[in-house]
Amino acid sequence: MDNNRAPAGNSDRPPFQILPPVRRARLFGVDYALCPQPDGGELYITWQAWHWLDYLRPPRWWNAGDLTVTGERLGGSTGTVYRVRSTPPGQPPRDLVVKFSRVAQDVPLFIPDAFLDSLPRDAIATARFLGPFAEFGLIHELRDSIFNHGDRRLRTKVPLAIYSPPERYPLWQTGRHPDIFRSHLRAMAHEQFENGLARVSLDIERDYLEIFAWVDGIDAEEAFNRGLIKKDDLAPLTRSANLTLSRLGYRVLDNKPRHLIVRPMPGGTLLHRHGRIVYSMIDFELLQRHEDAPSRRFTQKVSFR
Ligand SMILES: Nc1ncnc2c1ncn2[C@@H]1O[C@H](COP(=O)(O)OP(=O)(O)OP(=O)(O)O)[C@@H](O)[C@H]1O
Ligand SMILES: [Mg+2]
């Protein structure tokens, strides 16, 4: 999706800046518009994606009757992720990724030995899926870092919105740990203390669906299966992604070729720039700041105020 090109034809979308404070929230450095749905669902749209409102409305990609995402389930993952095509009337179709947040669930981790050695001792034991708002916040922080620019800029998927359908599920069905969930709630409350905007919380019995822009291309493992990248080049590609991330002050505990989207070119090659394979990183549910991260205060560009 080209996020810089605003689609024409949005009808009832006032400028983000004039939304009343009760319709706005700010969490982990990201501003949201609150869009309550008629059925009790809650849609939170980042201000950067506000012009995509028509694409993000749940009826475009969510079947409220049978509680399913109207798209293609993406394989090779331990979570629940879909690719959907959203087509608001009179506008060109755009592809989105809809991913169920696994906040406060157990973390199934498979980490290659080579990477394991570089992690602090308790990194695995304390691994936690990020909450949806915390994940969006960290991705934005990473994307906006003043160090993330130029040839070696780390490309990532773009977070757009979070949707929580009204349905509630018992704890045994959600697989969430209440104590872990509570720590997410505390962090969110702390973030929003007396900020004069609407207060957003999470409900342990409800689902949270994260919506991202689709990144054109195929993942690096698929590129290997299609003979577009050699086996010997896969590990260095992942290493290079981890190194770039680390220089910016972050790590992703389970980075792997499946999380890197590359661009096949005519003639059986992949898109390169300055002699390097161009890739976008797409899985951040286990993103962390590492101990040597440059201070957040000095790494953020200006955001909406
Ligand atoms: N924004 C995106 N653009 C393009 N492809 C994507 C995007 N998001 C996910 N995919 C594809 O879907 C697959 C599964 O997505 P993702 O890695 O987010 O799921 P997951 O459940 O977190 O997987 P894992 O078990 O590795 O944690 C990816 O390997 C990739 O091929
Ligand atoms: Mg994942």
Side-chain angles (χ1 to χ4, degrees):
M1 180 190 288
D2 178 353
N3 288 291
N4 296 318
R5 204 151 32 87
N10 276 314
S11 42
D12 52 348
R13 182 175 54 81
F16 190 91
Q17 290 84 340
I18 68 161
L19 291 176
V22 292
R23 279 207 54 200
R24 285 192 278 126
R26 182 179 304 143
L27 289 104
F28 305 104
V30 181
D31 291 281
Y32 294 88
L34 272 53
C35 306
Q37 302 296 296
D39 63 357
E42 294 285 352
L43 179 65
Y44 308 93
I45 304 186
T46 69
W47 83 264
Q48 292 89 339
W50 182 232
H51 57 279
W52 294 106
L53 170 63
D54 278 358
Y55 287 89
L56 299 169
R57 293 182 197 280
R60 306 257 182 270
W61 53 267
W62 174 250
N63 186 334
D66 58 12
L67 307 178
T68 53
V69 177
T70 45
E72 168 204 356
R73 173 102 190 244
L74 296 169
S77 66
T78 55
T80 312
V81 193
Y82 295 83
R83 176 183 185 170
V84 303
R85 177 150 291 184
S86 175
T87 315
Q91 298 189 47
R94 304 276 175 191
D95 286 350
L96 308 172
V97 169
V98 177
K99 180 166 181 170
F100 282 76
S101 167
R102 291 194 270 181
V103 58
Q105 292 179 4
D106 286 328
V107 178
L109 261 183
F110 310 96
I111 297 177
D113 289 350
F115 185 47
L116 204 54
D117 296 340
S118 68
L119 294 176
R121 213 164 346 131
D122 62 349
I124 311 292
T126 58
R128 298 270 183 269
F129 286 123
L130 285 164
F133 291 94
E135 180 179 341
F136 272 36
L138 265 191
I139 299 176
H140 271 278
E141 186 185 298
L142 162 66
R143 290 175 58 80
D144 289 351
S145 163
I146 52 171
F147 301 116
N148 195 13
H149 66 94
D151 296 345
R152 306 213 68 166
R153 175 170 67 90
L154 183 73
R155 294 174 172 80
T156 76
K157 65 177 177 183
V158 181
L160 303 175
I162 295 165
Y163 177 57
S164 180
E167 285 70 27
R168 294 194 141 77
Y169 303 94
L171 211 53
W172 62 265
Q173 216 171 322
T174 64
R176 286 181 181 142
H177 296 279
D179 51 336
I180 300 177
F181 198 83
R182 271 194 297 275
S183 70
H184 288 281
L185 295 185
R186 272 197 299 277
M188 289 176 71
H190 182 75
E191 263 295 305
Q192 300 175 95
F193 184 66
E194 290 188 352
N195 71 1
L197 302 173
R199 191 164 156 192
V200 173
S201 191
L202 300 177
D203 184 329
I204 197 165
E205 296 183 331
R206 280 170 72 159
D207 275 333
Y208 291 87
L209 282 60
E210 302 170 322
I211 309 168
F212 302 93
W214 176 256
V215 178
D216 279 336
I218 56 174
D219 66 58
E221 191 172 312
E222 176 65 21
F224 166 69
N225 293 336
R226 294 192 200 174
L228 298 173
I229 185 170
K230 293 199 288 285
K231 191 169 191 345
D232 290 351
D233 292 335
L234 275 183
L237 185 71
T238 316
R239 247 196 323 272
S240 141
N242 283 332
L243 196 64
T244 308
L245 200 57
S246 176
R247 282 204 195 100
L248 293 169
Y250 304 86
R251 72 167 82 84
V252 166
L253 289 183
D254 64 341
N255 204 14
K256 52 191 169 195
R258 271 212 176 273
H259 295 166
L260 303 175
I261 304 296
V262 293
R263 297 282 292 266
M265 301 297 286
T269 57
L270 295 177
L271 180 67
H272 282 65
R273 215 160 271 157
H274 307 292
R276 287 187 287 268
I277 295 174
V278 173
Y279 61 83
S280 294
M281 209 182 256
I282 53 92
D283 190 359
F284 294 97
E285 54 189 354
L286 293 172
L287 178 64
Q288 301 175 343
R289 263 190 228 115
H290 65 57
E291 294 67 26
D292 312 324
S295 158
R296 185 172 162 184
R297 200 150 57 89
F298 296 114
T299 54
Q300 280 200 300
K301 291 181 201 147
V302 181
S303 72
F304 172 81
R305 285 290 173 269

